[in-house]
Amino acid sequence: MKQNDLRQALIDGTIHVIAQNGLDKTTTKAISNATGINEVYIYRLFDNKEKLFEKAFEHLDNQLLDKCLLHIDVMYMREIDYEARSRIYFLAMWRFLIGNRDEIFMYVRYYYSPYFKKYSAEMHKQRFIPLVNKFKDAFIDEAAVRLILNHILNVMLDFALLVHNDEMPKEDNYSEHVFRVVYQSIKQYFRHEEGVEPQK
């Protein structure tokens, strides 16, 4: 197996082991057993377990960012109001979150852990600058765009976990409920555009 393939296999295995066992119970031995790859390659390719965790989160963070940027054009569709744009954008992101169970479990467990603050918080902030910049035109000048987007992510992750834990359904009416919760908390910050009714 090529080195890049080994790295990716270990990253994928780490994601699934953390999703199943949590961070504290995810050992290099557990990752090795899950992937069928000798533990020595973890240290050879990543130096240590913490670096492997960091790279697994980075992989998922990039996936999330790519998905966010993929659908950003809808926020510039001036022929429809911001509520309609937001719903289209939200549903695309929501389908992604509830369609990737293990990935979301791992993302959340790392995101809310000391590992994130120590190893990944600054890079996460830098990584999402392009998305923040893309959204700036949608919000009024005084809006704290990064904080708004962070709020949206946190709310959506919390609701997605409820679905993945079978505490809430995947049905469309629940998706609409989650959208309403998100939208009601941010609509006051959208910029009024000529020819488009301001949000009430």
Side-chain angles (χ1 to χ4, degrees):
M1 190 181 288
K2 294 180 180 178
Q3 184 169 320
N4 286 342
D5 294 334
L6 278 171
R7 287 177 62 88
Q8 191 58 51
L10 287 168
I11 285 172
D12 291 341
T14 300
I15 290 168
H16 294 298
V17 173
I18 291 174
Q20 297 300 317
N21 301 337
L23 287 161
D24 292 340
K25 294 182 180 178
T26 297
T27 62
T28 54
K29 184 175 182 179
I31 295 167
S32 175
N33 289 339
T35 58
I37 298 171
N38 193 299
E39 277 183 85
V40 70
Y41 286 102
I42 294 174
Y43 298 99
R44 185 176 297 171
L45 297 173
F46 297 96
D47 294 334
N48 53 51
K49 181 179 75 172
E50 290 75 19
K51 191 68 174 179
L52 176 52
F53 285 6
E54 178 189 346
K55 289 300 180 181
F57 176 80
E58 179 183 319
H59 173 72
L60 295 182
D61 213 26
N62 279 321
Q63 279 191 342
L64 179 61
L65 176 60
D66 289 346
K67 196 69 174 179
C68 290
L69 292 172
L70 179 65
H71 299 282
I72 194 66
D73 287 350
V74 71
M75 298 307 297
Y76 293 87
M77 296 172 62
R78 294 175 61 91
E79 64 273 16
I80 58 176
D81 64 22
Y82 275 121
E83 181 173 352
R85 300 181 213 185
S86 299
R87 180 178 280 103
I88 295 168
Y89 190 83
F90 164 82
L91 288 174
M93 298 309 302
W94 181 248
R95 284 191 292 268
F96 175 73
L97 293 181
I98 64 172
N100 292 279
R101 183 184 185 278
D102 279 5
E103 288 78 1
I104 298 309
F105 269 117
M106 187 278 173
Y107 190 95
V108 169
R109 285 174 172 161
Y110 188 92
Y111 185 62
Y112 292 118
S113 77
Y115 289 102
F116 175 77
K117 185 175 182 180
K118 184 174 182 179
Y119 299 108
S120 302
E122 186 56 37
M123 281 306 301
H124 170 77
K125 182 178 179 181
Q126 295 299 317
R127 192 173 294 125
F128 276 76
I129 287 175
L131 186 68
V132 172
N133 290 338
K134 287 282 188 180
F135 266 97
K136 278 184 178 178
D137 288 341
F139 293 110
I140 57 177
D141 292 340
E142 56 268 35
V145 178
R146 180 180 294 282
L147 292 179
I148 292 171
L149 295 182
N150 190 60
H151 165 74
I152 294 169
L153 175 62
N154 288 334
V155 172
M156 291 183 69
L157 286 173
D158 287 346
F159 277 112
L161 281 182
L162 291 176
V163 172
H164 289 311
N165 281 321
D166 296 321
E167 297 175 51
M168 292 293 176
K170 290 185 179 180
E171 281 80 6
D172 289 343
N173 59 345
Y174 182 64
S175 301
E176 177 63 18
H177 167 71
V178 178
F179 169 71
R180 298 310 309 173
V181 170
V182 171
Y183 184 72
Q184 290 299 320
S185 67
I186 66 170
K187 68 177 185 178
Q188 61 186 309
Y189 300 109
F190 281 120
R191 189 185 302 277
H192 172 55
E193 294 179 345
E194 185 178 351
V196 177
E197 289 296 317
Q199 308 304 313
K200 297 180 180 179

